[in-house]
Amino acid sequence: MVLAGTISARQLPAQDNLDLGKMIRAVDSSNIFQSPDYYQWCSSVIEGEDGMFHMFYSRWPHGRRTAADDTLNYIFDGFSGWNKYSEIAYAIADKPGGPYHYVKTILKGTGDPTRWDRFTYHNPLIRKFNGEYYLYFIANAFDSAFTVKKSVTPQSLQWLRYNCTQKIGVVRAKTLDGLISGQFDHTPAYIMAPDNQRTYEVATNPAVTQGPDGKYYLLYKSRMPEVGHMTFWMAVADRPDGPFTTVSNVLAGADLACEDPTLWYDAGRKRFYAVAKYYSNAGKLAPQFGALVLITSINGRDWQPAHHSLVSLRQLRCKNGQMIPLARLERPFIYLDEAGWPKALFAAAAVDDPGKGDPEKVRPGNNTFIVQIPLQ
């Protein structure tokens, strides 16, 4: 209700006044989605016509890798398995904050050595455009010819021969039930790859929204040539599945390096927003490496730090008053209600570094989980 003499946030004139940090609320166990057998990461949620909330997320098993298709396959032991063994799974809840319950795996590597998506399916993003459902993702293959200019270990080179084939794809379904049951269009082509001129080595972390001009905006992560630090690029298309054309570099400086964007257009404020993980110690966007930050753009091409750039430090505030520091808080996703208002922040998290320790003995602290943080 809007009282006489006041203006609601949705009626404000176009301005950069979104403060997600102040909207964050405490969590409890119902907001945690975790498995004793799988690392869980990269969540994306949509409300279905059934009133249920449908989560698409990435997961891969704990433990050591025993497949004999690579003599250096041990480089994918434990948490590192995302680069070869991740799959996109599906879970459901009756409210956006959970609790969510695993249902099935939706997509996994084709295993076809002639295809770009031979291995890992990762970074899922679910969107509905023009009455159809689009599930964006990344996958990779293996490039035996890939080399690097500097001296690296055989293990590092082998890792890069998988890692540097990451590209972005999408599947399209007429209904959400069709997507979940496998009735979708899945072309062998990818929609974005690095050109090794402006974008370098990888194209990952797809974030897609429709702008006020009716076009579709794809914000994705790549690396800068030569200097090599992470950066975002913006691509635009007339259709949700492309073809996309890269039009601008987003926050090019190393002191503004980010990854893991989630993107939307705020019609009330007449600007684009994106939440991302800050990948720098420079303190320009946040006082902590790995904090979640907010960036903004009026036209979708030219970006800057938002006025309230800090969304969250690497921590969780619990309803019992406890503040839990985190080693990881990544892959943010903003769930919007039908009016386009942020209602929940989803993120992948771990209390201890999941990349450390014996992969055969995953402890509660370094097992990963997906957290649903209410926004008010």
Side-chain angles (χ1 to χ4, degrees):
M1 180 175 67
V2 179
L3 301 177
T6 67
I7 302 176
S8 75
R10 303 185 196 195
Q11 294 173 321
L12 289 171
Q15 57 182 309
D16 178 21
N17 66 348
L18 179 60
D19 190 347
L20 290 174
K22 284 189 174 181
M23 297 169 63
I24 286 178
R25 293 297 178 260
V27 302
D28 62 22
S29 60
S30 69
N31 303 123
I32 303 297
F33 181 49
Q34 191 174 45
S35 167
D37 302 314
Y38 287 84
Y39 298 101
Q40 308 204 131
W41 215 245
C42 301
S43 60
S44 181
V45 173
I46 193 168
E47 183 177 4
E49 289 85 353
D50 56 3
M52 302 294 285
F53 294 86
H54 304 262
M55 174 192 287
F56 299 84
Y57 67 100
S58 60
R59 71 173 197 166
W60 60 101
H62 297 158
R64 301 187 185 279
R65 313 304 166 199
T66 59
D69 62 341
D70 187 336
T71 58
L72 297 178
N73 206 51
Y74 63 84
I75 62 176
F76 303 111
D77 284 351
F79 187 69
S80 297
W82 72 266
N83 195 24
K84 188 176 180 181
Y85 294 101
S86 179
E87 61 187 29
I88 295 176
Y90 163 66
I92 194 167
D94 59 9
K95 53 187 177 181
Y100 284 85
H101 304 282
Y102 167 79
V103 178
K104 62 186 296 187
T105 293
I106 301 294
L107 290 165
K108 61 194 324 180
T110 63
D112 185 342
T114 67
R115 287 179 58 119
W116 71 276
D117 57 352
R118 179 182 180 183
F119 299 117
T120 204
Y121 268 60
H122 202 59
N123 290 175
L125 171 71
I126 183 66
R127 287 286 190 238
K128 184 180 181 181
F129 297 123
N130 305 319
E132 294 188 311
Y133 293 87
Y134 294 81
L135 182 60
Y136 301 87
F137 59 89
I138 66 169
N140 64 18
F142 176 76
D143 183 0
S144 61
F146 180 85
T147 60
V148 292
K149 295 179 181 178
K150 60 184 179 180
S151 177
V152 298
T153 65
Q155 293 88 345
S156 295
L157 178 58
Q158 193 77 340
W159 175 270
L160 292 171
R161 285 174 170 167
Y162 290 86
N163 187 257
C164 292
T165 61
Q166 294 177 98
K167 302 176 181 69
I168 298 171
V170 65
V171 297
R172 181 184 65 187
K174 293 182 178 180
T175 66
L176 194 55
D177 286 343
L179 177 61
I180 295 164
S181 63
Q183 300 173 39
F184 47 71
D185 295 328
H186 190 344
T187 65
Y190 47 81
I191 63 172
M192 182 57 65
D195 60 18
N196 291 316
Q197 298 176 15
R198 292 190 302 173
T199 61
Y200 185 59
E201 289 186 345
V202 300
T204 63
N205 299 172
V208 183
T209 196
Q210 188 173 24
D213 56 0
K215 295 184 180 297
Y216 298 90
Y217 289 75
L218 165 64
L219 184 63
Y220 67 99
K221 183 185 84 174
S222 190
R223 298 191 183 115
M224 295 288 284
E226 305 302 332
V227 291
H229 67 262
M230 294 182 191
T231 189
F232 290 151
W233 296 84
M234 179 60 75
V236 180
D238 293 325
R239 292 175 44 86
D241 50 0
F244 283 92
T245 300
T246 300
V247 296
S248 66
N249 189 198
V250 175
L251 305 183
D255 56 353
L256 298 174
C258 291
E259 64 174 358
D260 298 349
T262 177
L263 173 70
W264 73 100
Y265 182 75
D266 187 320
R269 295 180 175 88
K270 296 182 173 61
R271 59 177 57 242
F272 293 84
Y273 279 109
V275 175
K277 172 191 169 183
Y278 189 39
Y279 208 85
S280 171
N281 285 307
K284 290 290 185 70
L285 292 176
Q288 181 188 56
F289 180 93
L292 300 184
V293 296
L294 185 66
I295 60 176
T296 190
S297 171
I298 292 177
N299 61 14
R301 292 167 169 79
D302 305 303
W303 288 76
Q304 63 188 31
H307 181 66
H308 301 287
S309 63
L310 177 62
V311 175
S312 177
L313 299 176
R314 296 196 321 268
Q315 60 188 24
L316 287 180
R317 180 161 59 91
C318 301
K319 290 181 179 179
N320 64 6
Q322 184 181 11
M323 187 70 78
I324 301 176
L326 301 171
R328 301 281 190 100
L329 185 65
E330 305 181 8
R331 296 298 302 155
F333 173 78
I334 295 293
Y335 169 74
L336 308 172
D337 66 13
E338 291 184 354
W341 197 249
K343 300 299 292 184
L345 166 62
F346 291 74
V351 175
D352 301 320
D353 190 335
K356 295 182 179 179
D358 186 345
E360 294 285 4
K361 300 177 181 178
V362 177
R363 306 178 307 277
N366 68 355
N367 193 8
T368 61
F369 57 91
I370 295 169
V371 59
Q372 305 97 47
I373 304 172
L375 298 175
Q376 183 175 329

